[in-house]
Amino acid sequence: MMQRSRRRRLALGVTVTVAFAALLAGCSNNNGQNSLDPAGEDAQKIMDLFTPIFWIAVVVGVGVFAAVVFTLIKYRERTGDESPKQVHGSTPLEIGWTIAPAVILAAIAVPTILLIFDIAERPSGDDVLKVEVTGKQWWWQYEYPEQAMVPTQAVVTANELHIPVDTEVELALHACDAGFSEGECNVIHSFWVPELAGKEDVIPGRENYLTISANRTGTFLGQCAEYCGLSHANMRLRVIVHEKGRVRGLGREPTGPRPAVG
Ligand SMILES: [Cu+2]
């Protein structure tokens, strides 16, 4: 008998330790893709919405668990108890737990919807950098049409998006498989650099827009966030944020005549 309870306690201890280890592993923030460490305007707005919603969820969660634990302890069966009186519902309670969640959800929905419209707005102005992004299997192509030194040849990079600091960058997102011609692309990707902006799907036959910006220089990592085939996990992305003026033609007015071509 003694042995059995010791074994039970040991099993409980192991379970709790493993559960805590798994929980703590989720707190790792060294993968360079931490949406809780925003470095861009829209990422900051998303964080500012997330924080109060997180604390509302914490209050609701703790309240529910506390009520369950309180009820389990206070109303547990004791020897000699008779069966409790059987009841069928309580109108005030039912009205209460219908209205309270509705109010909480409405309070969360209003700022969420406002933010969705806010960050979906396309930026305007001369200093907005425009980049054409094409999601392929399994890499990202970035094209800078306005930075072309030769009018018909845009600057093109693969997997590395170079942008100037403190500048709004509008990404026009397309999807295409390298093996297909334009219009025949058939794989959906999703563009996500958690520290700079929200997530935007990259859909064949559509042009979606995403505004990103960075308030500090450095390298920011991202990942295709929509399963797109066997090498989906390798479809990473990297945004390199430079001081203004360090990238020729990016984030500043051209200072001299373009070099002659030919
Ligand atoms: Cu992909």
Side-chain angles (χ1 to χ4, degrees), residues 19-232:
F20 263 103
L23 197 68
L24 288 175
C27 299
S28 132
N29 66 352
N30 58 358
N31 62 4
Q33 299 183 51
N34 184 3
S35 57
L36 303 179
D37 182 23
E41 197 186 332
D42 285 357
Q44 185 64 53
K45 286 179 184 172
I46 292 168
M47 178 74 183
D48 292 343
L49 178 68
F50 166 80
T51 307
I53 292 175
F54 171 78
W55 287 113
I56 291 172
V58 167
V59 170
V60 170
V62 169
V64 169
F65 276 107
V68 168
V69 170
F70 171 80
T71 310
L72 284 176
I73 294 171
K74 183 162 168 56
Y75 299 104
R76 71 185 186 278
E77 187 181 23
R78 294 181 175 88
T79 42
D81 275 0
E82 287 175 15
S83 289
K85 199 176 118 202
Q86 299 301 302
V87 291
H88 295 278
S90 154
T91 309
L93 273 181
E94 283 173 14
I95 290 174
W97 65 51
T98 303
I99 288 179
V103 169
I104 293 170
L105 288 180
I108 290 173
V110 172
T112 303
I113 292 167
L114 289 176
L115 184 63
I116 288 171
F117 281 97
D118 179 22
I119 62 179
E121 212 163 284
R122 294 178 61 183
S124 58
D126 288 343
D127 49 356
V128 174
L129 172 65
K130 296 196 170 173
V131 183
E132 302 278 332
V133 181
T134 310
K136 307 207 179 196
Q137 281 176 308
W138 291 272
W139 59 286
W140 298 96
Q141 175 184 291
Y142 302 106
E143 207 176 318
Y144 302 76
E146 292 172 0
Q147 277 64 39
M149 293 296 177
V150 181
T152 52
Q153 286 182 358
V155 177
V156 180
T157 64
N159 291 328
E160 285 189 2
L161 174 62
H162 290 261
I163 63 170
V165 71
D166 291 327
T167 304
E168 283 187 302
V169 181
E170 188 187 54
L171 307 177
L173 304 163
H174 320 263
C176 193
D177 186 293
F180 291 87
S181 61
E182 201 76 46
E184 288 182 305
C185 313
N186 58 357
V187 181
I188 300 176
H189 306 277
S190 194
F191 189 96
W192 193 31
V193 187
E195 290 169 13
L196 299 186
K199 191 189 288 174
E200 185 74 46
D201 278 357
V202 183
I203 301 170
R206 258 189 87 91
E207 188 164 70
N208 280 349
Y209 297 96
L210 177 71
T211 306
I212 69 165
S213 64
N215 58 22
R216 58 175 189 256
T217 57
T219 299
F220 297 89
L221 302 178
Q223 171 73 51
C224 175
E226 180 78 38
Y227 180 69
C228 55
L230 287 179
S231 287
H232 159 70

Side-chain angles (χ1 to χ4, degrees), residues 233-252:
N234 295 323
M235 197 170 164
R236 293 159 168 243
L237 48 96
R238 185 185 271 266
V239 181
I240 295 142
V241 182
H242 301 264
E243 292 288 355
K244 279 189 186 181
R246 290 285 300 279
V247 185
R248 192 185 176 100
L250 298 189
R252 63 169 186 178

